[in-house]
Amino acid sequence: MPLVTTKEMFEKAYEGGYAIGAFNVNNMEIVQGITEAAAENNSAVILQVSKGARAYANHEYLMKLVEAAIANYPDLPIALHLDHGPDFETCKACIDGGFTSVMIDGSSLPFEENIALSKKVVDYAHAHGVVVEAELGTLAGIEDDVVVEEGNASYTKPEEVEEFVRRTGCDSLAIAIGTSHGAYKFKPGTNPELRFDVLEEVSKRLPGFPIVLHGASSVPQEFVDTINEYGGAMPGAIGVPEDQLRKAAKSAVCKINIDSDIRLAITASIRQYMAEHPDHFDPRQYLKPARQAVKDMVAHKIVNVLGSNDSI
Ligand code: G3H
Ligand code: 13P
Ligand code: ZN
């Protein structure tokens, strides 16, 4: 089937009490690992591309990789989404270039400016059959080249969401409830707790409306340990506990974004492989297990965290 939007995926996920995984793609092995896991577990999937991914791999290469995945898995519903669209022009380029979903990230702008920018993207996207994710509230962490210090992050204000969604016409809303981007989300020794009270208040005000969680990698400690054991240095890397993500997936949260866990899976695999095979130099030898590590991680998320297995 051709690329789909997230509309039907989110309707089914909301009804079914699960979430769709949105995984960032940057190269062939990542696209293959994710889509193989989704197809084997009968789960719809969102492949998302950041501004940085477009700069790294080039729009055309990424489109062709996704087209190849569609050809390999003709029954798998795949949405192609722009992650953290920074401006109207980038969103327009992705809409014109074949994406079925875009995010306009106006979360760092004042409320009225965020509304104006998001609405401009929605108007253009909807005229072209594309859906739009907007964001209200600010996550901490690193996304593309923007670093938001913990002190400058702010939870979404539930009293703002109805007006924001009504005036922008967006199709889904990313909110800030304590997740953050990157591999260092919480201080070692603290107890990571998402603000489920904020999530509940938002979903009460927007019945039936799909909510999105960014910064939702769980930073599996086995990856961190492997990286540290084989020459890496990632002390204190901590993610969102999986049981909290599972709880979120059962609520109005219909899309959960995962990128750092992909990076960790690949890095752990390659570091271990290199250490154990110092004489190997064929990239296929170490990229093959790295691709398998992505697939295994995504399959684990689909079954144990998102709950989206056997939903197509
Ligand atoms: O939230 C940002 C994603 O992890 C994408 O990261 O901009 O380094 O591709 P990137
Ligand atoms: P992580 O850094 O937690 O993987 O978040 C990814 C993300 O939100 C992409 O938009
Ligand atoms: Zn994000």
Side-chain angles (χ1 to χ4, degrees), residues 24 26 50 52-53 83-84 142-144 181 214 259-260 263:
N24 287 68
N26 288 279
S50 69
D83 187 31
H84 293 286
I142 304 168
E143 67 198 38
D144 266 325
H181 290 106
H214 281 248
D259 186 10
S260 296
R263 299 175 182 198

Side-chain angles (χ1 to χ4, degrees), residues 24 48 83-84 103 105 135 139 143 181 213-215 257:
N24 287 68
Q48 56 184 14
D83 187 31
H84 293 286
M103 175 190 192
D105 185 353
E135 179 167 346
L139 272 70
E143 67 198 38
H181 290 106
L213 276 195
H214 281 248
N257 286 9

